[in-house]
Amino acid sequence: MTVDRSLRDARHTRVDLDTLGGSIARVAGLQRRVELTTGLAGGGWQRCSDLLAQPRRLGEWRARLARWLRQEYGDADARTTASYVMSWYLRVPAHVGALLLHHERRVPSLRPEELAVRTAGRGRPEPDGIAVLGGSFYCLPFDPGATRPEATVVADERALAAVLRARFTAHAARFVRAYAPISPLGTRMLWAGATDALDACLWWAGLDGGDEGAGVADAALVLQSRFPPLTSASTLRMETGEDDRRVWARRRESCCFTYLLPGRTECDACPRRSPKP
């Protein structure tokens, strides 16, 4: 992943250290899933608000994926393309929110107008870039940027977790309203996908940053129980791996429908294989 030059420079500018841009600069290098930036340098970017205002763009994304799947597998079921795009989109706000909560104890707005996504230009058209365009954030009282005009201070970590859950859910609700009419997936499946995105991204923030247990703890903090319309509490739990080691795993709430592709079977975490206890 290449970190935008403006972010590298921000690390050396005192005034930027307390801003949301400074936070993005710090967390960008603590993950390798996407390019994380604060600007739209280069081409291929789409604001999330534009995708939701013009759902045909989400349909075009599915069409690109269908072409790639046919090249790779010879077929592309509509449920598979719909589920992949659902998961990819919802991970945009979830990934940003999880990273900043985990590493900075901050939560950005996550409004669709303040996020943009770029998809890979070749091959599998998954997101390879996320841009955070707004500057407002929520933080704890001892945060070094707590006195900045764009900061909203909350009482404690539980309150900050509730803010992340609420901000993500508000973004996901706009996605569900836009995507449900053009998707073969039901509303319940879309909210299951939103739950998976938030739970998984909190886990990955810790895993990628070198403290998986802390990521699991964040997932438990944010999703300590079911908060409708999200469909479950965190499903992370310890399992015994193939080498008899104890490892963290999670049961998916939504299905990716990969098993509908020729030669593929259900994933290990598929709700079809591991139903709710």
Side-chain angles (χ1 to χ4, degrees):
M1 182 198 74
T2 302
V3 178
D4 187 83
R5 180 177 178 179
S6 64
L7 299 184
R8 294 198 303 268
D9 294 342
R11 294 176 182 154
H12 306 291
T13 305
R14 175 66 243 178
V15 70
D16 287 333
L17 293 180
D18 297 342
T19 66
L20 185 62
S23 287
I24 298 298
R26 289 187 291 272
V27 304
L30 299 175
Q31 54 85 50
R32 292 292 184 270
R33 297 179 186 273
V34 294
E35 177 185 359
L36 188 61
T37 181
T38 56
L40 301 182
W45 292 98
Q46 297 189 82
R47 287 181 185 265
C48 291
S49 55
D50 292 336
L51 287 167
L52 301 185
Q54 303 174 57
R56 63 173 179 78
R57 295 191 182 193
L58 295 169
E60 291 167 357
W61 194 356
R62 285 182 59 197
R64 285 182 58 202
L65 173 61
R67 290 192 292 272
W68 181 82
L69 288 173
R70 291 190 186 101
Q71 292 173 359
E72 295 292 314
Y73 298 98
D75 195 10
D77 189 276
R79 286 168 292 178
T80 308
T81 61
S83 183
Y84 274 46
V85 168
M86 170 193 73
S87 296
W88 287 341
Y89 180 92
L90 289 167
R91 287 175 193 164
V92 171
H95 187 57
V96 171
L99 279 173
L100 288 166
L101 177 75
H102 180 76
H103 292 292
E104 298 281 303
R105 281 311 192 238
R106 290 178 170 181
V107 174
S109 164
L110 299 182
R111 295 175 64 246
E113 290 78 9
E114 298 183 13
L115 292 173
V117 60
R118 186 189 64 208
T119 55
R122 295 182 180 180
R124 179 174 153 120
E126 61 188 329
D128 67 0
I130 299 174
V132 180
L133 306 177
S136 62
F137 61 92
Y138 299 81
C139 65
L140 299 173
F142 52 80
D143 187 289
T147 60
R148 296 188 66 86
E150 64 269 30
T152 299
V153 178
V154 300
D156 52 30
E157 289 191 344
R158 188 175 297 275
L160 195 63
V163 168
L164 172 57
R165 189 170 59 244
R167 299 308 305 171
F168 172 78
T169 300
H171 189 137
R174 289 177 62 176
F175 172 77
V176 170
R177 288 195 297 270
Y179 200 53
I182 65 167
S183 165
L185 307 178
T187 299
R188 200 272 175 195
M189 178 66 77
L190 296 176
W191 279 111
T195 307
D196 283 333
L198 186 57
D199 196 19
C201 285
L202 287 161
W203 176 27
W204 295 342
L207 182 64
D208 295 348
D211 193 342
E212 183 179 14
V216 173
D218 282 344
L221 179 66
V222 176
L223 294 171
Q224 58 185 310
S225 62
R226 183 190 171 197
F227 294 92
L230 300 176
T231 58
S232 78
S234 174
T235 65
L236 283 156
R237 76 270 190 198
M238 292 293 291
E239 289 187 348
T240 301
E242 295 181 358
D243 56 359
D244 293 329
R245 289 193 306 151
R246 298 286 285 169
V247 296
W248 285 104
R250 70 175 304 276
R251 185 201 70 245
R252 286 179 60 103
E253 285 285 292
S254 64
C255 183
C256 65
F257 295 102
T258 299
Y259 75 92
L260 296 176
L261 299 174
R264 299 296 297 269
T265 60
E266 291 95 340
C267 308
D268 290 341
C270 181
R272 293 167 52 87
R273 298 182 60 175
S274 52
K276 289 185 178 182

